[in-house]
């Protein structure tokens, strides 16, 4: 009892520090979660636009899709960085059931980053197709040769 009274201030400061760390960790987790959800929504929206419009997509729509793929990649990459470097998740990754969940989240974030890159490349491929289609005379089969080279 005497020891508790002597160290009450120190214990209170330690408890406050732990609460502050828990709050910071919670904020970081929520931000990573929002980045993942936002990135997923941007990816899905841009992919739907490109898929639904196909070869008839306009330059303005391509610019919009390209920007969405770029922003999605940034958001998912930021969340992926958190998942790879957070000390609590590093420890949680060692636990039997939770480790599988942490690994799955990391894998999904990696897939999101790769998907954003693929989306950006698809936009560039559509732009190349449209430039070739619009700039050269002749049949489409003759126009494909420069694109394939």
């Amino acid at each position: 009892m005497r020891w508790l009274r002597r160290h009450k201030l120190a214990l209170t400061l330690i408890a406050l520090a732990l609460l502050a760390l828990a709050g910071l960790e919670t904020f970081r987790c929520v931000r990573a979660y929002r980045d993942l959800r936002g990135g997923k929504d941007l990816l899905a929206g841009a992919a739907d636009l490109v898929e639904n419009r196909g070869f008839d997509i306009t330059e303005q729509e391509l610019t919009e899709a390209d920007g969405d793929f770029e922003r999605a990649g940034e958001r998912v990459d930021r969340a992926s960085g958190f998942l790879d470097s957070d000390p609590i998740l590093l420890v949680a990754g060692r636990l039997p059931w939770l480790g599988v969940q942490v690994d799955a989240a990391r894998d999904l974030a990696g897939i999101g980053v790769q998907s954003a890159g693929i989306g950006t490349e698809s936009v560039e491929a559509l732009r190349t197709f449209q430039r070739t289609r619009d700039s050269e005379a002749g049949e489409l089969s003759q126009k494909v040769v420069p694109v394939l080279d």
Side-chain angles (χ1 to χ4, degrees), residues 38-54 57 61-73 115-116 118-120 122-123 126:
K40 178 193 73 98
D41 292 343
L42 286 168
L43 279 172
D48 285 346
L49 176 63
V50 170
E51 183 179 353
N52 291 334
R53 297 289 289 141
I57 194 167
E61 290 169 326
L62 282 174
T63 301
E64 177 186 335
D66 196 28
D68 285 350
F69 283 129
E70 183 71 29
R71 283 189 299 280
S115 296
I118 291 168
T120 300
S122 71
V123 167
L126 282 168

Side-chain angles (χ1 to χ4, degrees), residues 18-34:
L18 289 174
L19 281 174
L21 286 174
L24 178 62
E25 186 66 16
T26 300
F27 171 75
R28 292 179 66 220
C29 287
V30 168
R31 188 176 65 184
Y33 176 76
R34 286 183 180 164

Side-chain angles (χ1 to χ4, degrees), residues 13-132:
L13 291 175
I14 290 171
L16 287 175
L18 289 174
L19 281 174
L21 286 174
L24 178 62
E25 186 66 16
T26 300
F27 171 75
R28 292 179 66 220
C29 287
V30 168
R31 188 176 65 184
Y33 176 76
R34 286 183 180 164
D35 280 342
L36 286 172
R37 285 199 51 118
K40 178 193 73 98
D41 292 343
L42 286 168
L43 279 172
D48 285 346
L49 176 63
V50 170
E51 183 179 353
N52 291 334
R53 297 289 289 141
F55 292 124
D56 296 326
I57 194 167
T58 65
E59 180 58 36
Q60 180 181 356
E61 290 169 326
L62 282 174
T63 301
E64 177 186 335
D66 196 28
D68 285 350
F69 283 129
E70 183 71 29
R71 283 189 299 280
E74 290 169 0
R75 291 186 77 169
V76 175
D77 189 46
R78 188 169 49 233
S80 181
F82 168 77
L83 292 171
D84 289 338
S85 66
D86 185 65
I88 291 177
L89 291 178
L90 291 173
V91 171
R94 304 273 185 217
L95 300 174
W97 180 82
L98 198 54
V100 174
Q101 301 299 313
V102 171
D103 289 342
R106 287 181 181 138
D107 291 344
L108 286 173
I111 290 169
V113 170
Q114 291 175 350
S115 296
I118 291 168
T120 300
E121 290 174 11
S122 71
V123 167
E124 188 54 40
L126 282 168
R127 283 189 172 125
T128 301
F129 169 79
Q130 288 178 343
R131 278 193 305 270
T132 303

